[in-house]
Amino acid sequence: MRTHLHLKKLIESLETQNQELRQLTQRNEDLENRVAERTAELKQALEKEKELNQLKSRFITMASHEFRTPLAIIASSSGILQKFSDRLNEERKQEHLQTIQHTIKHITQILDDVLMINRAEADKIELKLESADIIDFCHHLQAEIAASNNENTINFSVDLGEEIMDNSLIIQFDKKLVRQIITNLLNNAIKYSPNHDLVKFNLTKSDDNIVFKISDHGIGIPETDQVKLFESFHRASNVGNIAGTGLGLSIVKKCVDLHKGKISIDSQIGKGTTVTVTIPYLT
């Protein structure tokens, strides 16, 4: 009887110890999981901080380059007007005033681009669809951009199928965002074609998608830079002294994403670049 009681107590003691061991093991596993989660969070935070530091560095580099020259131009022209106004004829005065206005517009555009990227990162841009003629919209943009660059280097073509009889297609799209997409891509194509070669701008339709294709025969994009094309303030390593903020393609990507579309880039050094943007639409 005594042996039986002793054995029973021993079994109960072992069960208690096993239960405590299981609880301890579970606590250890929970602790390991929390440590792993915390480690992952810290690693993610460090990566985010690293990205922010790189972004800050690229912004400072961009700002120092893109603001210094325009401000110097404004200072020069305004200084000439201030000191030598009595010696300048009316035509020369107007030239300096136009230079100042053009340069201020350039700086304002840079600031607008930075603000747009900031709003996009903070998810403060909403898609606002409205019905409009996409063909007419593209025609006007092509003429506007060609005029602003003082060049007639954009060849706009439309291939929307036989069902488009009156050369118009009314669809729903966000005019502001599509303007950003086309304007940035066409300006890039012109800017990075130093020989002023023809830029092709093609509008096609695929199922329920509108496809914009913009091709140039410019300097092209190095393969090592192509993976970073949509990062804010990133510029290709072969741009040399060509002015730019590194925001154009970032803005394009944000606008395409808001339309739930796709963008692809095919580029070769010295041969040019083709950008294809596909966005769904509603009639």
Side-chain angles (χ1 to χ4, degrees):
M1 184 69 176
R2 186 175 299 174
T3 303
H4 178 72
L5 290 174
H6 180 73
L7 183 60
K8 184 179 179 181
K9 287 182 179 181
L10 181 60
I11 293 172
E12 290 175 352
S13 176
L14 288 172
E15 288 178 348
T16 300
Q17 290 178 25
N18 283 334
Q19 186 176 0
E20 290 175 351
L21 183 60
R22 285 194 296 270
Q23 291 175 348
L24 181 61
T25 302
Q26 184 62 49
R27 285 197 296 270
N28 285 338
E29 290 178 356
D30 292 342
L31 181 60
E32 287 176 0
N33 289 335
R34 287 199 296 271
V35 169
E37 289 174 2
R38 184 58 178 161
T39 301
E41 290 173 1
L42 288 173
K43 185 178 179 180
Q44 188 176 10
L46 287 172
E47 287 295 327
K48 189 67 176 178
E49 184 178 359
K50 183 180 178 181
E51 290 176 7
L52 289 173
N53 286 335
Q54 291 175 344
L55 189 64
K56 180 181 177 181
S57 177
R58 291 200 298 268
F59 172 75
I60 291 172
T61 301
M62 180 279 296
S64 65
H65 284 102
E66 291 303 306
F67 287 123
R68 188 185 302 274
T69 300
L71 290 173
I73 291 171
I74 292 173
S76 174
S77 290
S78 60
I80 291 171
L81 288 172
Q82 184 179 33
K83 293 179 182 179
F84 307 109
S85 180
D86 56 330
R87 306 180 196 177
L88 299 175
N89 59 35
E90 190 60 29
E91 183 180 355
R92 290 292 294 159
K93 289 179 182 178
Q94 288 301 317
E95 286 178 0
H96 284 292
L97 288 172
Q98 287 175 6
T99 296
I100 292 171
Q101 290 173 351
H102 176 76
T103 307
I104 290 173
K105 184 179 178 181
H106 173 66
I107 293 175
T108 303
Q109 184 60 56
I110 294 174
L111 293 174
D112 287 343
D113 288 348
V114 172
L115 289 173
M116 182 168 187
I117 283 293
N118 184 58
R119 288 177 61 212
E121 294 289 351
D123 295 325
K124 292 184 178 180
I125 298 178
E126 296 180 358
L127 185 69
K128 297 180 180 178
L129 299 176
E130 54 183 305
S131 295
D133 183 353
I134 188 64
I135 300 176
D136 185 63
F137 183 82
C138 289
H139 267 299
H140 278 89
L141 268 185
Q142 178 263 334
E144 179 184 312
I145 294 166
S148 66
N149 286 279
N150 297 318
E151 295 180 12
N152 188 22
T153 58
I154 303 173
N155 178 24
F156 177 54
S157 61
V158 181
D159 182 14
L160 295 175
E162 296 180 358
E163 69 271 22
I164 309 301
M165 301 298 294
D166 58 354
N167 202 33
S168 67
L169 177 62
I170 308 298
I171 64 171
Q172 290 188 1
F173 62 99
D174 188 310
K175 285 186 175 181
K176 289 184 178 180
L177 297 185
V178 172
R179 168 179 282 272
Q180 286 282 355
I181 292 169
I182 296 173
T183 299
N184 277 292
L185 292 180
L186 285 177
N187 280 332
N188 272 358
I190 294 171
K191 182 195 304 182
Y192 297 113
S193 299
N195 295 325
H196 307 286
D197 294 323
L198 189 68
V199 171
K200 294 182 180 179
F201 174 24
N202 181 244
L203 172 64
T204 59
K205 187 165 71 74
S206 175
D207 297 326
D208 293 327
N209 298 296
I210 283 292
V211 181
F212 305 106
K213 184 172 288 188
I214 295 172
S215 303
D216 64 63
H217 298 284
I219 63 175
I221 305 167
E223 189 173 348
T224 53
D225 289 310
Q226 292 183 23
V227 294
K228 300 180 179 179
L229 283 180
F230 302 120
E231 293 182 8
S232 297
F233 307 111
H234 177 79
R235 303 195 72 204
S237 56
N238 64 330
V239 297
N241 294 323
I242 302 174
T245 62
L247 287 175
L249 286 177
S250 299
I251 291 172
V252 169
K253 184 66 165 60
K254 299 292 184 186
C255 295
V256 171
D257 288 345
L258 284 166
H259 268 96
K260 293 182 169 50
K262 297 178 181 178
I263 180 171
S264 64
I265 296 179
D266 180 23
S267 185
Q268 295 183 46
I269 291 292
K271 294 185 177 180
T273 301
T274 296
V275 183
T276 304
V277 172
T278 304
I279 61 172
Y281 70 89
L282 300 172
T283 54

